[in-house]
Amino acid sequence: MKTVVEKTEKFDPQEVIEEFEVLTRDAGKIQEETLQKILEENGGTEYLQQWGLNGKTDSLSFKNCVPIVTHKDLEPYIHRIADGDLSPILTGKPITTISLSSGTTQGKPKFVPFNEELMESTMQIFKTSFAFRNREFPVVNGKALQFIYGSKQFKTKGGLAAGTATTNVYRNAQFKKTMKAMQTPCCSPDEVIFGPDFQQSLYCHLLCGLIFRDEVQVVSSTFAHSIVHAFRNFEQVWQELVTNIRDGVLSSRVTVPSMRAAMSKLLKPDPELADTIFNKCSRLSNWYGLIPALFPNTRYIYGIMTGSMEPYLKKLRHYAGELPLLSADYGSSEGWIGANVNPELPPELVTYAVLPNIGYFEFIPLMENLDGLEPTPVGLTEVKLGEEYEIVVTNFAGLYRYRLGDVVRIKGFHNGTPELQFICRRNLLLSINIDKNTEKDLQLAVEAAAKILSDEKLEVVDFTSHVNVSADPGRYVIFWELSGEASEEILKECCNCLDISFVDAGYVGSRKVNAIGALELRIVKRGTFHKILDHFVGLGAAVSQFKTPRCVGPTNLSVLQILSSNVVESYFSTAFC
């Protein structure tokens, strides 16, 4: 363990890049070695023994013996571990920590094993992407304004620490050492990051950023949503923040004693800084360029900006002005996949180079075989340019041939390793009969309809969807939260535009013959999506990990209830009448 700490403290970006080049040049061989290592460490486990591997560590035997699984298949094993069974069930070494997924997709968080090897691969990903990022956008002795929030960790029945994947990372000593070595330590104290009240933490993050405004070189969060949310909040509280800085007295809205104590060490009366911030904010037009106005030495804005985060890019660009948006790396609660080694690409085009030593990866081609059977997965170096695949992961924390549920497209290769573009979650489909619309299709439809609003200086704050099969015929329901009041005429136009923007042949054909009913657009009250966020935080999710569910399934009753009880207007499409 000591060597890792020493390595972390002597962070050399060029060395990290060279190491990455070596790894990716012989990706196929590294993959075989990685699988061999995983199977040597865990071959004696109950899970692997039942499949008759009998100590074999080659990829052919592994694929012939071990089945492809989903989380549901592994759930009984993971729950036994969480309940305190110390026998080698999924891993040779005991699992000491459980990660929770955000839970926004299925309505409840999944339990996923987390161990030191996953922590090490997290740091490897962080360091790799930082090395490439720093070559293009160097930061020197700065700070990062990070909107990160550690949710509460709790103990499982068996006494294991459980928390969101991000919380498990933030609480690890290696994370802090790495951030320090990369010269971007967080400008907020731990008491703010791990505060029990999200709104109070957010307020203090903003205040810390302003106190250290000249040192802030990076503004970041896990997801783009959190950054947009933070600066929407800033619009409401900025004058109060200025008063706090002017008087050196923290707002009474912060009531958590540990947070107040930590902030009082940082906050001193500074009328000059208060005047500067007040003048900067007063001169902005509709908050355009807010981030560089507040933090003049910021080099870039950083966070996950793909998939369900893409709808927030327009607002983020508004706040960012001319600053570049850099998309963070590709991973999930189950572990990491790839690093962004082309930081100059805009988020819409970003790709992720797979690190061949952090897990064993297989790819299921998305085309169906003529016999209706699912195609055979291919290895990391066998994928084809331009094709789409679902990722299957085998890692050091007890997941074997695990379907991640993500669809990616191969956009290129970095030496021998593929560069992936995230497309969508495979299971997030709007479907009633033969229609199949993905999260991306929904996003494109919303973007098309939102253009009608932009003439009125209005925007879609957030959105989600639901398939109403209790109606006859079933229909798509789209929920919108808007930044202001729109006329009935405009909203009817938006509703029709949404309906005709779903171009899937199965949908269009079904709409024409009324096998699918008229799309319904429901407008919800301001703050409805914040209530959904609060609901997930109440279940133990971390704000940093929150993703608005883009399709609310029939099992996600709590979210459906929040949405339905906040509807103020409803419109039905007349596009196919």
Side-chain angles (χ1 to χ4, degrees):
M1 219 31 231
K2 198 160 182 276
T3 54
V4 174
V5 172
E6 280 164 12
K7 234 170 148 184
T8 304
E9 285 169 351
K10 294 176 188 166
F11 179 71
D12 177 355
Q14 195 47 44
E15 197 179 295
V16 172
I17 289 172
E18 283 163 18
E19 190 183 316
F20 176 77
E21 297 295 346
V22 169
L23 278 174
T24 55
R25 265 197 285 273
D26 208 350
K29 180 168 169 273
I30 299 288
Q31 275 284 276
E32 293 295 328
E33 288 170 0
T34 303
L35 179 64
Q36 187 181 345
K37 196 174 166 194
I38 291 170
L39 296 178
E40 279 170 359
E41 278 183 23
N42 305 301
T45 57
E46 178 189 324
Y47 182 78
L48 286 178
Q49 282 197 322
Q50 71 180 315
W51 303 117
L53 262 177
N54 299 326
K56 295 191 199 81
T57 60
D58 63 288
S59 59
L60 192 62
S61 304
F62 176 65
K63 289 172 186 176
N64 285 340
C65 296
V66 181
I68 291 175
V69 295
T70 63
H71 188 270
K72 201 175 173 187
D73 300 309
L74 294 183
E75 224 165 16
Y77 301 94
I78 296 170
H79 280 289
R80 277 173 54 202
I81 294 166
D83 289 348
D85 188 332
L86 294 173
S87 60
I89 298 171
L90 289 172
T91 54
K93 290 184 219 156
I95 292 287
T96 54
T97 312
I98 295 288
S99 279
L100 304 176
S101 71
S102 63
T104 47
T105 307
Q106 306 297 338
K108 62 172 198 227
K110 291 182 301 203
F111 276 29
V112 181
F114 184 89
N115 61 8
E116 207 49 48
E117 278 98 339
L118 278 196
M119 189 64 209
E120 281 176 28
S121 63
T122 302
M123 292 305 109
Q124 188 189 343
I125 288 265
F126 281 12
K127 286 190 274 191
T128 302
S129 64
F130 178 81
F132 282 94
R133 204 160 67 241
N134 214 46
R135 200 161 66 174
E136 300 289 326
F137 309 96
V139 297
V140 183
N141 293 327
K143 288 187 188 295
L145 170 53
Q146 292 183 295
F147 295 103
I148 55 177
Y149 309 89
S151 67
K152 290 189 200 107
Q153 278 185 318
F154 63 92
K155 291 273 188 250
T156 66
K157 193 172 153 190
L160 274 65
T164 59
T166 47
T167 301
N168 292 335
V169 170
Y170 301 152
R171 286 194 180 277
N172 193 294
Q174 259 187 273
F175 172 73
K176 246 193 195 146
K177 287 194 176 85
T178 303
M179 293 311 290
K180 200 172 173 187
M182 297 192 305
Q183 301 185 26
T184 47
C186 182
C187 55
S188 303
D190 279 1
E191 291 83 354
V192 170
I193 296 169
F194 298 108
D197 183 293
F198 155 61
Q199 284 296 352
Q200 293 183 41
S201 288
L202 170 52
Y203 186 87
C204 291
H205 274 316
L206 289 167
L207 190 53
C208 290
L210 295 175
I211 291 167
F212 295 110
R213 76 180 288 259
D214 290 328
E215 292 173 64
V216 170
Q217 293 189 21
V218 178
V219 173
S220 72
S221 187
T222 310
F223 290 120
H225 169 265
S226 294
I227 307 174
V228 169
H229 183 80
F231 288 105
R232 280 191 195 278
N233 207 272
F234 180 86
E235 290 184 35
Q236 309 303 317
V237 301
W238 73 278
Q239 287 175 306
E240 193 178 332
L241 289 161
V242 167
T243 304
N244 292 180
I245 290 167
R246 190 180 303 285
D247 302 339
V249 178
L250 183 62
S251 165
S252 59
R253 71 169 68 222
V254 181
T255 57
V256 176
S258 59
M259 255 195 257
R260 288 197 72 86
M263 291 305 295
S264 67
K265 289 177 188 163
L266 298 176
L267 192 57
K268 301 288 177 278
D270 194 338
E272 195 182 329
L273 177 60
D275 286 343
T276 301
I277 294 161
F278 184 87
N279 292 332
K280 293 279 182 194
C281 291
S282 304
R283 288 188 198 123
L284 292 174
S285 169
N286 194 26
W287 301 103
Y288 177 81
L290 172 61
I291 296 173
L294 293 178
F295 313 108
N297 296 312
T298 306
R299 300 303 315 273
Y300 54 83
I301 292 160
Y302 186 66
I304 293 169
M305 299 180 188
T306 48
S308 59
M309 293 299 126
E310 271 192 44
Y312 305 108
L313 289 178
K314 189 181 173 193
K315 190 67 176 175
L316 190 53
R317 284 200 169 99
H318 182 80
Y319 287 136
E322 299 299 310
L323 283 173
L325 304 185
L326 274 57
S327 196
D329 308 305
Y330 174 31
S332 64
S333 302
E334 289 87 351
W336 290 97
I337 314 294
N340 177 3
V341 299
N342 300 307
E344 70 289 348
L345 288 175
E348 292 87 347
L349 300 175
V350 73
T351 59
Y352 305 99
V354 180
L355 271 70
N357 68 329
I358 61 173
Y360 183 74
F361 302 101
E362 297 170 74
F363 297 82
I364 302 173
L366 275 209
M367 54 188 200
E368 280 185 9
N369 284 337
L370 295 174
D371 54 11
L373 297 172
E374 196 163 60
T376 307
V378 298
L380 183 73
T381 56
E382 298 165 320
V383 292
K384 292 190 170 75
L385 193 64
E387 295 291 315
E388 290 186 4
Y389 300 89
E390 182 187 348
I391 302 183
V392 175
V393 174
T394 297
N395 70 11
F396 286 92
L399 302 183
Y400 307 98
R401 307 199 82 196
Y402 178 98
R403 294 181 85 135
L404 209 53
D406 286 357
V407 175
V408 295
R409 185 179 291 129
I410 310 303
K411 294 296 283 184
F413 290 87
H414 188 104
N415 296 325
T417 201
E419 292 192 345
L420 319 174
Q421 183 180 42
F422 177 85
I423 301 298
C424 62
R425 297 280 299 160
R426 190 168 186 175
N427 60 355
L428 282 180
L429 280 175
L430 286 166
S431 183
I432 290 171
N433 45 51
I434 58 166
D435 53 311
K436 283 183 172 59
N437 281 299
T438 66
E439 184 179 346
K440 187 72 181 173
D441 297 322
L442 170 65
Q443 185 195 317
L444 292 171
V446 169
E447 280 173 7
K451 283 187 180 130
I452 298 164
L453 289 173
S454 61
D455 296 340
E456 309 287 306
K457 301 277 189 290
L458 291 172
E459 60 188 6
V460 177
V461 173
D462 221 330
F463 67 91
T464 189
S465 64
H466 171 63
V467 171
N468 183 357
V469 286
S470 61
D472 187 22
R475 63 169 173 263
Y476 290 8
V477 180
I478 311 293
F479 295 91
W480 272 12
E481 182 179 320
L482 301 177
S483 59
E485 299 283 321
S487 70
E488 190 176 319
E489 188 188 341
I490 290 285
L491 290 172
K492 280 180 177 171
E493 199 183 331
C494 288
C495 184
N496 286 352
C497 183
L498 280 166
D499 205 2
I500 58 172
S501 295
F502 286 104
V503 293
D504 167 67
Y507 182 77
V508 175
S510 299
R511 282 290 286 117
K512 281 177 177 169
V513 299
N514 205 34
I516 293 177
L519 179 140
E520 183 183 1
L521 172 61
R522 295 183 187 174
I523 307 300
V524 296
K525 290 176 197 162
R526 286 297 303 271
T528 299
F529 282 84
H530 201 291
K531 287 178 184 169
I532 294 171
L533 169 75
D534 288 341
H535 165 72
F536 283 109
V537 170
L539 294 177
V543 177
S544 327
Q545 221 169 304
F546 175 76
K547 300 192 282 283
T548 296
R550 291 293 173 221
C551 180
V552 182
T555 57
N556 212 338
L557 290 172
S558 311
V559 173
L560 274 177
Q561 178 58 41
I562 294 168
L563 288 163
S564 301
S565 60
N566 283 281
V567 173
V568 287
E569 292 170 274
S570 182
Y571 300 90
F572 289 91
S573 166
T574 54
F576 289 85
C577 291

